[in-house]
Amino acid sequence: MTDTTTTVTTSSAQQHTAESLSVWLVDRIAVYLKRSSDQIDATVPLAEYGLDSVAALSLCGDIEEDFDLVLEPTVAWDYPTIEALAAHILEELSTQAGAA
Amino acid sequence: MTTAQEVRAAARIAEIEAALGDPADPANPVGQARLLEADEAGELLAAGEKALEALNLNAEFVPVELGGRLERIDTLVRVLRQVFRRDVALGLGYGVTSFMAAVNVWTEGDERQQARLAEILLDGGRASVAYHELAHGNDFVRNEFEARVQPDGSFVLHGAKQVINNAARADAWLLFSRTDDAPGSRSHSVLMVERAGVDPERVTVLPRYTTVGVRGCQLAGLDFTEAPVAAEALVGSLGQGVELALRSFQITRSAVPGMALGGADAALRTVVSFALGRRLYRRSVMEIPHARATLGNAFLDLLISDSLSLVGTRAVHLLPEETSVYASAVKYLVPKLLQETMYELSIVLGARFYVRDGEFGGFQKNVRDLPVLSLGHAGSAACQATIIPQLPRLARRAWFQDAPAPAELFQPRTDLPAIPFRRLALASGKDSLSASLVAAVDELPDGSPEEVAVQSLALRLMDELRQIQEQSLTLSLEDRTALASPASFALADRYTVVLAGAAVLGVWREARADGGDPFLADPAWAAAALDRLVRRLGYQPAALPASCAERVHQELLRRFEEHRSFDLYDCPLAG
């Protein structure tokens, strides 16, 4: 489990935590599903919610756009739940912030 | 300058044309009369398969490095077009199925697998591509056919695959298999399994499907019962099946529609022959304005289709990071254009379009055969669904920003580098094809009335791209999935039309700079082709100079009389 108290500062000076990323992702996925955010479980694979393989690729573009991050296009395939994806984004943010 | 690649391609086509002969000759063992009989009997013409075997057609599907002839995808299309021209079923059933299977191995297979498949194909054997499960259609991530991974890395195959071309007679099957129970895109793998390596007690060939068209194709299913296969069957890595499929599809989606252009070429030839020979109202049908316009438009549709196909196939070599979108555009738009063309031509042919034998019998066969291109492999909607999620990103990052494509993208006879199988990207963030349209708009000549027409139509297409950009930016998240609203699908449709326009414009501009082909260098065809595309988008552009349609008509007649192909190559044909 990722420690949700870890914070990362990006170039845009925004502070992200696993929790804030999770909230962001839940909101996105909820829109895909036309459900309210509280009906989305962060531990359920996105594919179970009907996110097809190509649409999952486009999620990567959304993440890049909002967080100024460069990711593998298959990131949502390799980290198939919101929980896993949030942890991965956090890790990438800290790596890329550290490298900058 | 004629390059070595071009010399090889032209010689190979001449060899195939000579071997397959004049389709209209009743004494030709692989002529239209025999092909129609085979179709009626639901068989592939044995003499046709034999002729293709003697030509070692399979070598076209094997990369040069592995002992075959495959060096360029656009050349592969051009060569296979000569087979499709005679019989779509023979083209698919003898050959292309093997190519569709083999691309997976050329992309991700190891050295041993590549050498083995090359050996099978060069010996005249066949490979089948088993992706399809009827229950899941193009939603292949839901596929259930299992390759259960054993502790020692080997697999146990269990379950069924349906509607597989040559399932019963292939020497090797490429099986898209579930290797993990979890949902999602990392649960499938591709296996190359040789028939000889499977216990015959554990695999059953399911009954053949009968179809409306390509009746000679042997579509059947395979049902495996707990059949063990060795670990070496795995192509690429475990769990990479979806990724491999999305890469391989880029090559096959961009290639197959252009091959089928041969079928439409044959149909147009039939109707031109009819229009010139039949007299009504004391004149030939060709003198009736509606018929004349329809035939000219059909020729333009073939040129448009070939321009998009050319760009799609050359992009595999030149712009592998961008092909995901282009390949889907080719696979979506070209079969659609060709089917619409067939419908228009059937109106000119009148009642003869309903006749199953004789001089015009080949026409109804093509009407039945060509739609398979919109169904098999990837359906039209599946191709649109590949494009839709990529639109917002292209809108934000690519359109009106990217550098134009290299000039070679639009040059049918210029050399290409080797096929970069491993560089094909899953999704595209760039679009240099549309950038070529945008860049060209400022540089277009405006001396002649035809050139002015090209310029104003190109402007219209650029404006359309701007509108597509605005609408793509506002696409909601749910409108980017396969379950998107019809408006998203319409947006993808319009975008493919713009790409086709960019391809036509590029082909004309490069032909003009090169000067080798006086017809392709003439703005008349480009104006007429762009006019068709702009009208397709629902606009009513100013009337074209009459010289445009006249030039296209004269070229159509010349090529008919001189037995030359109705595509970008103006290639000499055997009848």
Side-chain angles (χ1 to χ4, degrees), chain B residues 488-502:
Chain B
S488 295
F489 283 80
L491 199 59
D493 174 273
R494 299 172 79 81
Y495 174 52
T496 63
V497 174
V498 171
L499 289 179

PDB file of all heavy atoms in Angstrom, chain B residues 488-502:
ATOM      1  N   SER B 488     -20.228  11.169 -32.166  1.00  0.00           N
ATOM      2  CA  SER B 488     -18.790  10.893 -32.174  1.00  0.00           C
ATOM      3  C   SER B 488     -18.406  10.090 -33.407  1.00  0.00           C
ATOM      4  O   SER B 488     -17.355  10.306 -34.008  1.00  0.00           O
ATOM      5  CB  SER B 488     -18.377  10.087 -30.936  1.00  0.00           C
ATOM      6  OG  SER B 488     -18.581  10.838 -29.778  1.00  0.00           O
ATOM      7  N   PHE B 489     -19.265   9.133 -33.754  1.00  0.00           N
ATOM      8  CA  PHE B 489     -18.981   8.317 -34.930  1.00  0.00           C
ATOM      9  C   PHE B 489     -19.027   9.174 -36.196  1.00  0.00           C
ATOM     10  O   PHE B 489     -18.232   8.997 -37.112  1.00  0.00           O
ATOM     11  CB  PHE B 489     -19.962   7.135 -35.003  1.00  0.00           C
ATOM     12  CG  PHE B 489     -19.616   6.033 -34.043  1.00  0.00           C
ATOM     13  CD1 PHE B 489     -19.957   6.137 -32.702  1.00  0.00           C
ATOM     14  CD2 PHE B 489     -18.894   4.938 -34.464  1.00  0.00           C
ATOM     15  CE1 PHE B 489     -19.610   5.137 -31.799  1.00  0.00           C
ATOM     16  CE2 PHE B 489     -18.537   3.932 -33.574  1.00  0.00           C
ATOM     17  CZ  PHE B 489     -18.894   4.034 -32.241  1.00  0.00           C
ATOM     18  N   ALA B 490     -19.951  10.123 -36.223  1.00  0.00           N
ATOM     19  CA  ALA B 490     -20.030  11.023 -37.378  1.00  0.00           C
ATOM     20  C   ALA B 490     -18.775  11.881 -37.470  1.00  0.00           C
ATOM     21  O   ALA B 490     -18.249  12.150 -38.558  1.00  0.00           O
ATOM     22  CB  ALA B 490     -21.270  11.913 -37.261  1.00  0.00           C
ATOM     23  N   LEU B 491     -18.260  12.283 -36.320  1.00  0.00           N
ATOM     24  CA  LEU B 491     -17.045  13.094 -36.294  1.00  0.00           C
ATOM     25  C   LEU B 491     -15.859  12.303 -36.866  1.00  0.00           C
ATOM     26  O   LEU B 491     -15.079  12.823 -37.668  1.00  0.00           O
ATOM     27  CB  LEU B 491     -16.777  13.502 -34.835  1.00  0.00           C
ATOM     28  CG  LEU B 491     -15.851  14.676 -34.576  1.00  0.00           C
ATOM     29  CD1 LEU B 491     -16.362  15.943 -35.235  1.00  0.00           C
ATOM     30  CD2 LEU B 491     -15.709  14.895 -33.058  1.00  0.00           C
ATOM     31  N   ALA B 492     -15.764  11.041 -36.461  1.00  0.00           N
ATOM     32  CA  ALA B 492     -14.693  10.186 -36.986  1.00  0.00           C
ATOM     33  C   ALA B 492     -14.849  10.017 -38.497  1.00  0.00           C
ATOM     34  O   ALA B 492     -13.869  10.049 -39.248  1.00  0.00           O
ATOM     35  CB  ALA B 492     -14.708   8.829 -36.288  1.00  0.00           C
ATOM     36  N   ASP B 493     -16.083   9.869 -38.951  1.00  0.00           N
ATOM     37  CA  ASP B 493     -16.359   9.731 -40.381  1.00  0.00           C
ATOM     38  C   ASP B 493     -15.856  10.970 -41.138  1.00  0.00           C
ATOM     39  O   ASP B 493     -15.157  10.865 -42.145  1.00  0.00           O
ATOM     40  CB  ASP B 493     -17.867   9.540 -40.591  1.00  0.00           C
ATOM     41  CG  ASP B 493     -18.251   9.547 -42.058  1.00  0.00           C
ATOM     42  OD1 ASP B 493     -18.499  10.647 -42.607  1.00  0.00           O
ATOM     43  OD2 ASP B 493     -18.279   8.483 -42.671  1.00  0.00           O
ATOM     44  N   ARG B 494     -16.175  12.132 -40.638  1.00  0.00           N
ATOM     45  CA  ARG B 494     -15.788  13.377 -41.329  1.00  0.00           C
ATOM     46  C   ARG B 494     -14.269  13.518 -41.345  1.00  0.00           C
ATOM     47  O   ARG B 494     -13.678  13.973 -42.330  1.00  0.00           O
ATOM     48  CB  ARG B 494     -16.437  14.583 -40.642  1.00  0.00           C
ATOM     49  CG  ARG B 494     -17.961  14.520 -40.676  1.00  0.00           C
ATOM     50  CD  ARG B 494     -18.599  15.603 -39.826  1.00  0.00           C
ATOM     51  NE  ARG B 494     -18.599  16.884 -40.518  1.00  0.00           N
ATOM     52  CZ  ARG B 494     -19.489  17.230 -41.427  1.00  0.00           C
ATOM     53  NH1 ARG B 494     -20.446  16.392 -41.765  1.00  0.00           N
ATOM     54  NH2 ARG B 494     -19.433  18.398 -42.012  1.00  0.00           N
ATOM     55  N   TYR B 495     -13.650  13.116 -40.260  1.00  0.00           N
ATOM     56  CA  TYR B 495     -12.198  13.204 -40.199  1.00  0.00           C
ATOM     57  C   TYR B 495     -11.538  12.312 -41.261  1.00  0.00           C
ATOM     58  O   TYR B 495     -10.578  12.713 -41.923  1.00  0.00           O
ATOM     59  CB  TYR B 495     -11.743  12.828 -38.783  1.00  0.00           C
ATOM     60  CG  TYR B 495     -10.256  12.738 -38.597  1.00  0.00           C
ATOM     61  CD1 TYR B 495      -9.412  13.783 -38.985  1.00  0.00           C
ATOM     62  CD2 TYR B 495      -9.679  11.608 -38.025  1.00  0.00           C
ATOM     63  CE1 TYR B 495      -8.037  13.696 -38.809  1.00  0.00           C
ATOM     64  CE2 TYR B 495      -8.317  11.523 -37.840  1.00  0.00           C
ATOM     65  CZ  TYR B 495      -7.498  12.558 -38.234  1.00  0.00           C
ATOM     66  OH  TYR B 495      -6.144  12.465 -38.070  1.00  0.00           O
ATOM     67  N   THR B 496     -12.095  11.112 -41.464  1.00  0.00           N
ATOM     68  CA  THR B 496     -11.499  10.239 -42.481  1.00  0.00           C
ATOM     69  C   THR B 496     -11.661  10.845 -43.879  1.00  0.00           C
ATOM     70  O   THR B 496     -10.793  10.667 -44.729  1.00  0.00           O
ATOM     71  CB  THR B 496     -12.109   8.811 -42.462  1.00  0.00           C
ATOM     72  OG1 THR B 496     -13.500   8.880 -42.792  1.00  0.00           O
ATOM     73  CG2 THR B 496     -11.936   8.139 -41.117  1.00  0.00           C
ATOM     74  N   VAL B 497     -12.745  11.564 -44.090  1.00  0.00           N
ATOM     75  CA  VAL B 497     -12.944  12.212 -45.396  1.00  0.00           C
ATOM     76  C   VAL B 497     -11.890  13.309 -45.596  1.00  0.00           C
ATOM     77  O   VAL B 497     -11.323  13.467 -46.687  1.00  0.00           O
ATOM     78  CB  VAL B 497     -14.377  12.775 -45.526  1.00  0.00           C
ATOM     79  CG1 VAL B 497     -14.545  13.566 -46.815  1.00  0.00           C
ATOM     80  CG2 VAL B 497     -15.402  11.645 -45.471  1.00  0.00           C
ATOM     81  N   VAL B 498     -11.598  14.050 -44.528  1.00  0.00           N
ATOM     82  CA  VAL B 498     -10.555  15.076 -44.616  1.00  0.00           C
ATOM     83  C   VAL B 498      -9.191  14.424 -44.900  1.00  0.00           C
ATOM     84  O   VAL B 498      -8.413  14.914 -45.729  1.00  0.00           O
ATOM     85  CB  VAL B 498     -10.498  15.924 -43.317  1.00  0.00           C
ATOM     86  CG1 VAL B 498      -9.281  16.832 -43.313  1.00  0.00           C
ATOM     87  CG2 VAL B 498     -11.779  16.748 -43.168  1.00  0.00           C
ATOM     88  N   LEU B 499      -8.920  13.311 -44.240  1.00  0.00           N
ATOM     89  CA  LEU B 499      -7.650  12.613 -44.486  1.00  0.00           C
ATOM     90  C   LEU B 499      -7.566  12.144 -45.939  1.00  0.00           C
ATOM     91  O   LEU B 499      -6.508  12.230 -46.574  1.00  0.00           O
ATOM     92  CB  LEU B 499      -7.495  11.418 -43.538  1.00  0.00           C
ATOM     93  CG  LEU B 499      -7.235  11.736 -42.059  1.00  0.00           C
ATOM     94  CD1 LEU B 499      -7.129  10.440 -41.251  1.00  0.00           C
ATOM     95  CD2 LEU B 499      -5.972  12.575 -41.878  1.00  0.00           C
ATOM     96  N   ALA B 500      -8.685  11.652 -46.473  1.00  0.00           N
ATOM     97  CA  ALA B 500      -8.696  11.224 -47.875  1.00  0.00           C
ATOM     98  C   ALA B 500      -8.396  12.418 -48.782  1.00  0.00           C
ATOM     99  O   ALA B 500      -7.651  12.313 -49.765  1.00  0.00           O
ATOM    100  CB  ALA B 500     -10.038  10.590 -48.229  1.00  0.00           C
ATOM    101  N   GLY B 501      -8.969  13.581 -48.443  1.00  0.00           N
ATOM    102  CA  GLY B 501      -8.702  14.787 -49.225  1.00  0.00           C
ATOM    103  C   GLY B 501      -7.230  15.178 -49.151  1.00  0.00           C
ATOM    104  O   GLY B 501      -6.615  15.542 -50.169  1.00  0.00           O
ATOM    105  N   ALA B 502      -6.653  15.077 -47.958  1.00  0.00           N
ATOM    106  CA  ALA B 502      -5.232  15.399 -47.802  1.00  0.00           C
ATOM    107  C   ALA B 502      -4.380  14.448 -48.634  1.00  0.00           C
ATOM    108  O   ALA B 502      -3.367  14.851 -49.226  1.00  0.00           O
ATOM    109  CB  ALA B 502      -4.843  15.312 -46.324  1.00  0.00           C
TER     110      ALA B 502
END
